[in-house]
Amino acid sequence: MKTAVVCGAGGFIGGHLVKRLKSEGYWVRGVDIKEHEFARTAADDFRLLDLREPKNCQEALRLPDGRPDEVYQLAADMGGMGFIHSAECEIMHNSVLINVHMTHAAAAAGVKRYFYSSSVCVYRDMKPGEPEMTEAEAIPAHPDNEYGWEKLYSERVAMAYERRYGMQVRIARFQNCYGPEGTWTGGREKAPAAICRKVTAAPDGGTIEIWGDGSAVRSYTYVDDMVDGIFRLMHSELHGAANIGCPQYVTVKQLVDIVAEVAGKKIHAKPVAGPVGVQSRNFSNERIYSIGWRSRFDLKAGIQQTYPWIEQQVKAAASR
Ligand code: NAD
């Protein structure tokens, strides 16, 4: 039986990844600084460990039968645009420590395959209508925020360890990811979850606030598609970073319209000042396509899975 350690298994994508690995027949250890907020872990073994500490990284990788076959590193001090702009120092400090220590611990333990979750935040801002950017165009680098700089640095840490120690490293640059069992309130939530929550609370014909004028362009990837990309990439021979994202690009205003349509409500979007982030995104998926990955959920199909879950969370919270 193959063994895997998933770092960040108490989080959104890590929690879904554990389920996928279990369905593929793996023995899985989940590691996180906290329990999963919304679901019982599917991992065979779950450790509460602060991965900023080198000894905890070593402990995470010490399995009853030796070292794990595969390590998936998704732990990060992480949130949506509001968090990214208000917690620069925490991101630069905590996520760098996690990545430096975990990459080192994995190489030292002789782990054969190591996955690192990077982000399209490593790229510069784009203008609407610009041609697709490829992975190589992240350099020369000009990320819009410190979260992107940390990801770029940690990618390079992982690649340096691959060169020195022969550990096979796979790096995905995720587009925005959404789906059930993700953060939906509290300040770390991302736009799709925040908009679902606001639409849930609004009456038919009501108004919700959005940050900026609603023209910023994004792509949103449903979590099952993201996890499928991670799994395929990890088992491919694709070296270097690969973007993973749904090729459907929408404005924030269009995202509101799709959520409203799924909710069966007419909703008006009122622009307010807030941390919008970059103006536009348009990335090539050719590398990840080359190993057979395609997104199966367009935005409406993904929101149809996500909105009812958030509606249920909002109702449960209101009745507590
Ligand atoms: P998440 O916040 O739900 O999961 C991250 C997990 O890391 C959390 O459970 C958190 O408790 C854990 N963690 C934080 N500090 C830790 C520490 N010191 N020790 C151990 N665990 C710690 O985020 P997510 O959306 O599941 O993202 C997973 C990964 O994917 C992250 O690296 C993130 O930067 C990356 N990513 C996510 C998105 C997205 O849209 N969700 C987009 C691009 C990249």
Side-chain angles (χ1 to χ4, degrees):
M1 190 185 258
K2 270 194 168 181
T3 55
V5 168
V6 177
C7 309
F12 169 46
I13 305 174
H16 283 274
L17 177 62
V18 169
K19 288 187 215 166
R20 171 67 187 262
L21 291 170
K22 285 306 301 167
S23 76
E24 299 284 344
Y26 280 66
W27 184 94
V28 183
R29 170 178 287 168
V31 184
D32 204 294
I33 200 168
K34 64 161 180 65
E35 306 270 358
H36 201 295
E37 261 174 274
F38 308 114
R40 256 177 76 92
T41 182
D44 298 280
D45 180 36
F46 188 89
R47 297 288 167 98
L48 283 175
L49 292 169
D50 182 345
L51 297 175
R52 289 171 298 184
E53 297 289 337
K55 67 173 175 20
N56 290 342
C57 294
Q58 290 159 11
E59 187 182 332
L61 303 180
R62 215 174 288 127
L63 301 190
D65 297 331
R67 61 172 180 243
D69 297 313
E70 298 174 2
V71 173
Y72 295 82
Q73 198 328 65
L74 290 95
D77 207 353
M78 160 69 186
M81 244 340 123
F83 178 76
I84 284 174
H85 280 265
S86 63
E88 296 181 339
C89 297
E90 290 81 355
I91 291 167
M92 294 302 256
H93 179 264
N94 297 336
S95 296
V96 159
L97 288 180
I98 294 169
N99 285 312
V100 164
H101 293 316
M102 186 44 86
T103 315
H104 184 88
V111 167
K112 296 276 178 285
R113 268 182 194 252
Y114 187 86
F115 172 86
Y116 175 55
S117 54
S118 185
S119 163
V120 294
C121 283
V122 302
Y123 296 103
R124 64 171 170 79
D125 195 357
M126 296 178 74
K127 294 189 180 61
E130 258 195 78
E132 284 182 345
M133 235 194 277
T134 64
E135 286 81 353
E137 288 174 281
I139 307 284
H142 191 42
D144 168 71
N145 53 56
E146 303 311 326
Y147 171 75
W149 282 104
E150 188 283 322
K151 289 289 186 197
L152 203 54
Y153 172 72
S154 293
E155 284 187 9
R156 297 184 77 87
V157 171
M159 290 187 295
Y161 274 78
E162 177 172 55
R163 284 192 295 275
R164 169 78 62 87
Y165 296 97
M167 177 169 77
Q168 289 289 309
V169 168
R170 299 292 177 265
I171 298 170
R173 292 180 182 156
F174 299 164
Q175 295 263 24
N176 287 294
C177 184
Y178 69 100
E181 298 176 7
T183 304
W184 58 274
T185 189
R188 286 185 186 241
E189 66 277 20
K190 300 191 139 219
I195 288 170
C196 285
R197 187 196 68 228
K198 289 178 185 187
V199 170
T200 301
D204 190 12
T207 299
I208 65 164
E209 290 186 348
I210 54 166
W211 289 342
D213 65 5
S215 67
V217 175
R218 299 281 183 277
S219 119
Y220 301 98
T221 306
Y222 186 63
V223 66
D224 286 3
D225 283 338
M226 192 62 86
V227 164
D228 189 47
I230 295 171
F231 190 79
R232 284 173 187 262
L233 180 59
M234 184 64 146
H235 299 101
S236 76
E237 292 313 310
L238 212 55
H239 283 268
N243 300 328
I244 303 182
C246 174
Q248 180 188 12
Y249 287 87
V250 296
T251 63
V252 173
K253 175 69 179 61
Q254 286 168 326
L255 170 64
V256 173
D257 291 344
I258 288 172
V259 173
E261 188 189 341
V262 169
K265 295 180 182 179
K266 182 131 189 59
I267 295 289
H268 305 281
K270 179 183 163 201
V272 294
V276 176
V278 296
Q279 180 56 34
S280 194
R281 295 296 201 198
N282 187 20
F283 301 116
S284 164
N285 279 320
E286 288 312 313
R287 298 201 81 224
I288 194 76
Y289 286 170
S290 75
I291 58 166
W293 181 85
R294 294 288 184 284
S295 63
R296 290 175 300 123
F297 290 81
D298 67 9
L299 186 54
K300 188 173 168 193
I303 293 293
Q304 280 167 338
Q305 303 294 317
T306 310
Y307 183 83
W309 182 82
I310 292 182
E311 193 176 35
Q312 204 188 336
Q313 301 302 307
V314 171
K315 281 187 188 150
S319 66
R320 278 202 285 271

